[in-house]
Amino acid sequence: MASSKPQCPSLATTSRIHLRPLGVTIDDSFLTETKNTQAHKLSQKRKTLLSCPLSVGGHLSPWPRYISDQTILHNRKPCSDDYQKRASSWQQPLGTTKPRYLEQLENYLRKELLLLDLGTDFAQELRLQPFREIFEFFIEDFKTYKPLLSSITHQREKIRALEPLKAKLVTVDEDCRERILAMRAEERYEISMLKKEKMNLLKLIDKKNEEKISLQSEVSKLRKNLAEEYLHYLCERDARKILIADLNELRYQREDMSLAQSPGIWGEDPVKLTLALKMARQDLTRTQMELNTMKANFGDVVPRRDFEMQEKTLKDLQEQLDSLRDDYEEVRKEHEMLLQLHMSTLKERDRFYSELQEIQRTSTPRPDWSKCEDVVAGGRDRWQMLAEGKNSDQLVDVLLEEIGEGLLREKDFFSGLGYGESIPSFLRFDGTVENKKPTKKDVVNLLKDIWKERMAEEQKEKFPDFFFNFLERHFGPGDAMAWAYTIFEYIKLFQSNEVMSQFHAVLMGKRKESVYIKQKETVTQLLKEMTNADSQNEGLLTVEQLRTVFKSTFPFKKDEKIQELMEAGGWHPSSSNADLLNYRILFTEDEEGQSMPFVQKLWEQYMEEKDEYLQELKLELGLELHEDVTLARVHEALMNIDPTLDKQTLNSYLSQAFQLPMTEMPEEGEEKRAGIVVKLQTALEQLHMSDIRRMGPREQEPAS
């Protein structure tokens, strides 16, 4: 079968040299010449193909329609393995062979495709050229359908020639639309600017018209006043001239009469006297005119000295008036404030009065705590010591503790709580355990030993496990459970004792042990600072030295907080700065572990500052307690309320709030931070259990 295949030359390289990309315009004469050249070359290829025998009789061989489509040329890459396998399968003899002409066309198509360079920009055009040539061969061989197939080919070429024009038309249309939109936008902007300018000019014109009308009215008024003044002065001038002329005439007549009556009195020449008289009259007339002019011009003018004196008096009065106005404004504001204060005081008085009436109506009589003196062990003296400085609620706690202590001493055994998951690990036991019945002092000393060993421990284990292991080491495995139940009942009962209450909170997971440890370190550091300030090592410090130590140790405490610590340490407002205080007494404890009021005040201020810090955090977040909050948002809020937080402390706070290990904390800026969510109430509760405190002031609040 292979030997019967004709050897047909390939002319792919010469037949594809006239391909052109879409969108390129070519001259018609050149296109006609190119088409003629292609037709000539195609006819030569066709003659070469037809020179090979097509079938046994020289005509086209029939091919059954039922032959499998395995012999049809598939769209495969000519050089692929799959193509070679299929080519080898095509060469295997089938039940009915293909027409020879079809095999020649397929072989020609394969060879042409193999010769293509598909790495160029016009790979699709190159790939289409062999198929176009095959179609031309069919048109030439099928004479009957040649006109129809030629018209189809012609129409297809026309459509292909219009495709670049269509693309160009779309591009030009889009470009024109964009230009039109830009021009419209520019026109709208210019129209808006012109409208604004028009409105401004209209406003300016209105303003100028108003000014013009005002000036015209003022000019008309001034003209009227000027005319009136002119008429007044004109009449006055004429009257003065007439009066002066009359006076001069009378004077001249009197002088003439006197001269006529006594001509020999003067003893001089009458002509000379007449000339002198005439000159004197002229001088008198000129002087009179000057005098009248001066009176007319300076009749309303005051002396400069009087003017300056009056101006100074006016300035002094003006300053007094301004001062009185300022004083009046201050007094008016104070009066308004006092009125508001008076109204609020009246409302508060009415509210207190109504509350008092309600309390008097609904409240029970105040208990007589002196009745407890005969009930509490130790009598009157011990009860007065226990009740000193306590309110009714605290006295109830003290009384309950005394009653509970008596009941604890009466119990010989405790019932085990079982092995449930809600039971703490150090209390998981079935049966009864012995009550060791220690004193409060023994329990306090034992708790202090536990804390001392805990702080010295290197490998930290869970606090409940450490507590039980400590009891096993000190009392043996047999008595460890009995001591665990005994200590637990004691610390649960005596909540007024700070050592027991703090140990109970840490043991039950209501507070982190770092809170207790940090508080002890703070007290130790404060004692060290006081000792360093005591240069004489006498245990005494002045009030000023004590205040300096407080401010250096607690730089962010407010002055009122420092004042509270001073008063808790024994300072009174009536004391002078030179008074000496024994600072070592402030850190002593009684036999039951109770600290002095100074250390208790330190603890109270720490808890108040923590609550204020968490309240600021809640306000900064602006969320309700039941709403969810992300780690990124808490990070931002903490940096806003405490900008001086370092990275390690900030990550520690976030780790405690979201219950994440420090090793699993995402870095700042990671998207994972936005996916870590917890309820705000849970986050605040976890932070309240932990040791958190302000590391620096807010930006708008200067450090005290």
Side-chain angles (χ1 to χ4, degrees):
M1 190 71 176
S3 62
S4 62
K5 290 182 181 179
Q7 301 296 327
C8 300
S10 174
L11 301 175
T13 57
T14 59
S15 62
R16 286 188 292 273
I17 60 175
H18 300 292
L19 289 176
R20 58 189 177 88
L22 295 176
V24 179
T25 307
I26 302 176
D27 191 17
D28 292 340
S29 62
F30 180 75
L31 185 61
T32 305
E33 182 181 353
T34 303
K35 287 184 178 180
N36 294 333
T37 305
Q38 288 182 356
H40 177 67
K41 291 183 179 181
L42 283 175
S43 63
Q44 289 181 356
K45 289 183 181 181
R46 179 175 172 277
K47 290 177 182 180
T48 305
L49 277 174
L50 293 178
S51 65
C52 301
L54 300 177
S55 62
V56 178
H59 300 285
L60 292 174
S61 301
W63 191 32
R65 298 178 183 175
Y66 55 81
I67 294 302
S68 173
D69 57 356
Q70 297 175 359
T71 60
I72 299 175
L73 183 63
H74 292 269
N75 186 13
R76 304 290 181 183
K77 293 183 179 179
C79 296
S80 63
D81 296 337
D82 186 43
Y83 173 81
Q84 295 176 1
K85 291 178 182 179
R86 290 180 180 273
S88 63
S89 65
W90 292 335
Q91 296 176 2
Q92 295 177 2
L94 300 173
T96 304
T97 61
K98 291 183 183 179
R100 182 64 54 81
Y101 184 59
L102 177 59
E103 290 182 353
Q104 291 174 358
L105 292 176
E106 289 179 351
N107 291 334
Y108 174 76
L109 182 60
R110 290 192 202 98
K111 291 178 181 179
E112 291 296 318
L113 292 174
L114 285 172
L115 293 175
L116 290 177
D117 185 10
L118 300 179
T120 62
D121 297 337
F122 312 109
Q124 295 299 328
E125 289 288 337
L126 294 176
R127 187 177 179 84
L128 184 61
Q129 186 63 26
F131 292 96
R132 186 184 292 116
E133 294 175 0
I134 295 296
F135 193 66
E136 293 289 340
F137 294 157
F138 271 103
I139 293 174
E140 295 297 330
D141 288 334
F142 290 93
K143 303 294 184 180
T144 306
Y145 303 101
K146 182 176 180 180
L148 177 60
L149 296 175
S150 298
S151 63
I152 292 172
T153 305
H154 184 63
Q155 292 298 327
R156 186 189 64 186
E157 293 297 331
K158 282 185 177 181
I159 293 172
R160 285 175 54 81
L162 291 175
E163 286 181 357
L165 293 177
K166 183 180 179 180
K168 186 174 182 180
L169 180 61
V170 172
T171 305
V172 171
D173 181 58
E174 291 179 355
D175 190 13
C176 292
R177 287 178 183 275
E178 291 178 357
R179 290 181 180 178
I180 290 170
L181 291 175
M183 292 174 66
R184 286 179 179 176
E186 186 176 358
E187 288 177 356
R188 285 196 297 268
Y189 176 74
E190 290 180 356
I191 290 171
S192 64
M193 293 301 295
L194 290 174
K195 286 182 178 179
K196 290 181 181 178
E197 187 176 358
K198 175 185 174 183
M199 295 302 296
N200 293 333
L201 291 174
L202 288 175
K203 291 179 181 178
L204 183 61
I205 290 171
D206 293 340
K207 185 177 179 181
K208 293 296 182 182
N209 289 334
E210 291 177 358
E211 292 180 357
K212 179 181 177 182
I213 294 171
S214 176
L215 291 174
Q216 286 178 350
S217 61
E218 187 174 355
V219 167
S220 61
K221 184 178 179 180
L222 290 174
R223 283 178 177 176
K224 185 177 179 181
N225 293 336
L226 180 62
E228 292 176 356
E229 290 293 328
Y230 177 76
L231 291 175
H232 174 71
Y233 286 123
L234 188 62
C235 295
E236 186 176 355
R237 186 197 65 179
D238 295 340
R240 285 184 178 182
K241 285 183 177 180
I242 293 171
L243 182 61
I244 290 171
D246 292 342
L247 290 175
N248 291 333
E249 185 66 24
L250 291 174
R251 186 180 299 110
Y252 295 157
Q253 291 178 3
R254 188 181 63 181
E255 289 179 356
D256 291 341
M257 290 175 64
S258 62
L259 289 174
Q261 290 176 2
S262 55
I265 296 175
W266 301 97
E268 292 186 4
D269 188 6
V271 178
K272 183 178 180 181
L273 292 174
T274 303
L275 290 174
L277 178 61
K278 186 176 180 180
M279 294 299 297
R281 287 176 177 174
Q282 291 178 356
D283 293 339
L284 178 62
T285 303
R286 186 173 62 254
T287 304
Q288 190 70 31
M289 291 178 64
E290 290 179 359
L291 178 61
N292 293 333
T293 303
M294 293 294 292
K295 288 182 177 180
N297 291 335
F298 300 99
D300 298 333
V301 177
V302 298
R304 184 179 184 84
R305 182 182 60 187
D306 296 342
F307 172 75
E308 291 178 351
M309 186 179 298
Q310 294 297 327
E311 187 178 19
K312 182 179 179 182
T313 305
L314 177 62
K315 187 176 180 180
D316 295 340
L317 292 175
Q318 189 67 35
E319 291 178 355
Q320 293 179 6
L321 178 61
D322 294 338
S323 176
L324 290 174
R325 282 178 178 175
D326 295 338
D327 295 341
Y328 171 73
E329 286 296 326
E330 292 180 1
V331 172
R332 186 180 62 81
K333 291 179 181 179
E334 291 178 359
H335 177 67
E336 291 177 355
M337 292 175 62
L338 290 174
L339 285 178
Q340 294 177 0
L341 182 62
H342 176 67
M343 294 302 296
S344 62
T345 305
L346 288 178
K347 292 179 181 179
E348 190 174 2
R349 184 201 64 180
D350 296 339
R351 181 170 58 83
F352 285 155
Y353 181 74
S354 59
E355 290 179 359
L356 177 61
Q357 294 293 331
E358 183 66 20
I359 291 172
Q360 290 177 351
R361 185 178 63 83
T362 59
S363 63
T364 57
R366 181 173 178 81
D368 186 7
W369 295 107
S370 61
K371 296 179 181 179
C372 300
E373 296 175 355
D374 300 330
V375 179
V376 175
R380 179 178 181 181
D381 295 337
R382 187 167 183 272
W383 173 252
Q384 290 180 351
M385 182 187 67
L386 293 174
E388 183 180 1
K390 293 182 174 61
N391 54 30
S392 298
D393 187 39
Q394 293 172 341
L395 289 175
V396 171
D397 294 338
V398 171
L399 189 59
L400 290 176
E401 289 179 3
E402 292 295 322
I403 297 172
E405 184 179 8
L407 295 175
L408 272 179
R409 291 191 175 279
E410 292 177 1
K411 292 180 71 172
D412 295 327
F413 298 95
F414 299 111
S415 298
L417 300 178
Y419 292 94
E421 293 184 358
S422 61
I423 305 301
S425 59
F426 58 90
L427 296 179
R428 291 176 183 173
F429 184 76
D430 260 337
T432 58
V433 293
E434 181 185 0
N435 182 7
K436 294 299 182 177
K437 298 182 181 180
T439 62
K440 286 176 65 176
K441 181 179 179 181
D442 295 336
V443 174
V444 169
N445 292 333
L446 185 60
L447 296 180
K448 289 181 178 179
D449 293 339
I450 294 174
W451 277 120
K452 188 181 299 183
E453 187 169 333
R454 178 64 172 178
M455 287 188 285
E457 183 185 22
E458 295 182 358
Q459 298 294 333
K460 297 290 184 181
E461 56 182 333
K462 291 184 178 180
F463 194 78
D465 298 337
F466 169 79
F467 170 65
F468 191 75
N469 293 336
F470 176 86
L471 296 178
E472 284 184 337
R473 290 193 299 270
H474 283 72
F475 301 105
D479 290 338
M481 187 59 68
W483 276 101
Y485 268 86
T486 302
I487 294 174
F488 179 73
E489 292 295 334
Y490 267 79
I491 63 178
K492 183 174 68 174
L493 175 64
F494 295 105
Q495 289 296 307
S496 63
N497 186 287
E498 59 180 288
V499 177
M500 294 187 183
S501 62
Q502 291 183 7
F503 192 88
H504 178 264
V506 175
L507 189 63
M508 299 307 294
K510 298 178 181 178
R511 187 179 298 148
K512 300 292 181 64
E513 58 181 297
S514 59
V515 177
Y516 176 84
I517 295 173
K518 185 64 178 179
Q519 184 66 15
K520 288 297 181 183
E521 291 177 354
T522 302
V523 174
T524 305
Q525 178 66 22
L526 184 58
L527 178 59
K528 183 179 178 181
E529 292 291 335
M530 291 183 180
T531 305
N532 293 335
D534 184 11
S535 58
Q536 303 295 330
N537 198 18
E538 297 176 350
L540 300 175
L541 288 177
T542 63
V543 175
E544 190 63 33
Q545 287 176 328
L546 196 63
R547 183 181 288 105
T548 304
V549 170
F550 286 156
K551 289 188 176 181
S552 62
T553 309
F554 309 109
F556 306 116
K557 280 189 182 295
K558 298 180 180 178
D559 292 338
E560 54 266 23
K561 298 291 184 180
I562 299 292
Q563 188 72 14
E564 291 177 2
L565 290 177
M566 297 285 293
E567 293 177 1
W571 178 84
H572 298 285
S574 59
S575 304
S576 64
N577 292 335
D579 291 344
L580 297 176
L581 294 177
N582 189 350
Y583 63 88
R584 294 175 182 172
I585 300 178
L586 306 178
F587 301 94
T588 58
E589 297 179 352
D590 59 11
E591 61 181 8
E592 294 182 354
Q594 288 291 97
S595 302
M596 292 293 104
F598 173 76
V599 179
Q600 294 177 6
K601 178 59 70 174
L602 270 179
W603 173 257
E604 291 175 5
Q605 289 187 358
Y606 166 72
M607 296 303 293
E608 291 174 359
E609 291 167 359
K610 181 193 289 188
D611 293 338
E612 292 175 0
Y613 191 78
L614 294 178
Q615 185 64 24
E616 283 186 34
L617 177 61
K618 181 177 179 296
L619 293 176
E620 183 69 25
L621 291 171
L623 298 174
E624 297 296 332
L625 293 176
H626 59 83
E627 293 180 323
D628 293 337
V629 63
T630 61
L631 188 143
R633 192 164 180 183
V634 175
H635 176 277
E636 182 182 358
L638 283 172
M639 291 306 298
N640 288 338
I641 67 172
D642 199 356
T644 57
L645 274 176
D646 57 273
K647 184 177 180 181
Q648 183 178 359
T649 307
L650 178 62
N651 288 336
S652 174
Y653 289 177
L654 295 175
S655 172
Q656 293 165 2
F658 289 86
Q659 293 296 288
L660 290 174
M662 290 289 290
T663 56
E664 298 180 8
M665 285 289 296
E667 293 295 331
E668 185 176 356
E670 293 185 7
E671 295 181 358
K672 186 179 177 182
R673 287 200 167 203
I676 302 177
V677 181
V678 74
K679 286 191 179 299
L680 178 60
Q681 183 175 4
T682 305
L684 293 179
E685 288 176 354
Q686 292 296 329
L687 289 175
H688 192 271
M689 291 165 51
S690 308
D691 176 42
I692 63 169
R693 60 188 69 215
R694 181 175 293 281
M695 293 293 123
R698 297 189 74 158
E699 291 182 359
Q700 66 270 22
E701 297 178 359
S704 60

